[in-house]
Amino acid sequence: MERPETRSHNLKPSACTPLFLAAFTLRDAGCCIHTHSIHAVLVTLLVEQKSQSQSQSHTSSPSTTTTASPTAVFEIERLEQIKGIPRGGSGSGNLGYFDRLRIPIIENTAREEDLRGSLEEAMEAWPGASAVLVRRHGIYVWGKDVAQAKTQCESLDYIFQLAVEMHKLGLPWV
């Protein structure tokens, strides 16, 4: 089969390319998806808010603020949809109903390609994670192929939406 002719349109790689490459090289991913999901952004803000309120209750200094770092993490458990997320690292199969889903949150930057270092740090610190949230921005999700990455992305978006609704009702995530 012949390859269709391509026209020169001064094409250049996406600013996300270094981040996709991190998933391909550090996780041996076959596909990496990046979205700007409203619910992904909202859970990063809710984790930030919780972290700030905990910091303020543990310190008398009103100028102390907490920002997301590779140790900031979204955690939720006892949801059926968690079964759509594979065990990372050396685990096989998917997470189960009683497992705790943990997704690290990194700080956003002014330029997308500048996220690479913190994304790689989070991937190394969280070998079981199959996604990384970017505070006030979105999420990077990877899988062995397009089908797995898409399934995870859809499952995570559902979980994030549910987490936002749970927060509105005062229900705990863990």
Side-chain angles (χ1 to χ4, degrees), residues 27-40:
R27 289 292 199 267
D28 199 27
C31 178
C32 182
I33 298 173
H34 172 52
T35 75
H36 299 107
S37 158
I38 291 169
H39 297 104

Side-chain angles (χ1 to χ4, degrees), residues 63-99:
S63 64
T64 302
T65 60
T66 303
T67 59
S69 69
T71 57
V73 63
F74 167 77
E75 296 181 280
I76 198 163
E77 62 187 10
R78 295 182 186 244
L79 295 176
E80 185 67 15
Q81 199 66 27
I82 288 174
K83 293 178 181 179
I85 309 301
R87 293 181 191 281
S90 60
S92 62
N94 285 8
L95 294 172
Y97 173 78
F98 292 105
D99 291 321

Side-chain angles (χ1 to χ4, degrees), residues 75-144:
E75 296 181 280
I76 198 163
E77 62 187 10
R78 295 182 186 244
L79 295 176
E80 185 67 15
Q81 199 66 27
I82 288 174
K83 293 178 181 179
I85 309 301
R87 293 181 191 281
S90 60
S92 62
N94 285 8
L95 294 172
Y97 173 78
F98 292 105
D99 291 321
R100 183 176 291 188
L101 172 64
R102 292 178 176 94
I103 303 173
I105 303 171
I106 61 173
E107 187 67 40
N108 196 12
T109 59
R111 295 177 28 185
E112 192 102 21
E113 58 269 23
D114 293 339
L115 290 168
R116 183 179 182 174
S118 57
L119 179 80
E120 289 175 346
E121 286 175 20
M123 292 172 80
E124 290 169 6
W126 295 88
S130 57
V132 172
L133 285 157
V134 181
R135 188 166 72 96
R136 298 177 178 260
H137 182 126
I139 188 168
Y140 285 86
V141 182
W142 52 86
K144 66 182 179 187

Side-chain angles (χ1 to χ4, degrees), residues 7 29 41 58 61 65 72 86 93 100 108 136 140 151 156 159:
R7 290 183 252 157
V41 171
H58 294 293
S61 171
T65 60
R100 183 176 291 188
N108 196 12
R136 298 177 178 260
Y140 285 86
T151 298
L156 289 170
I159 290 167

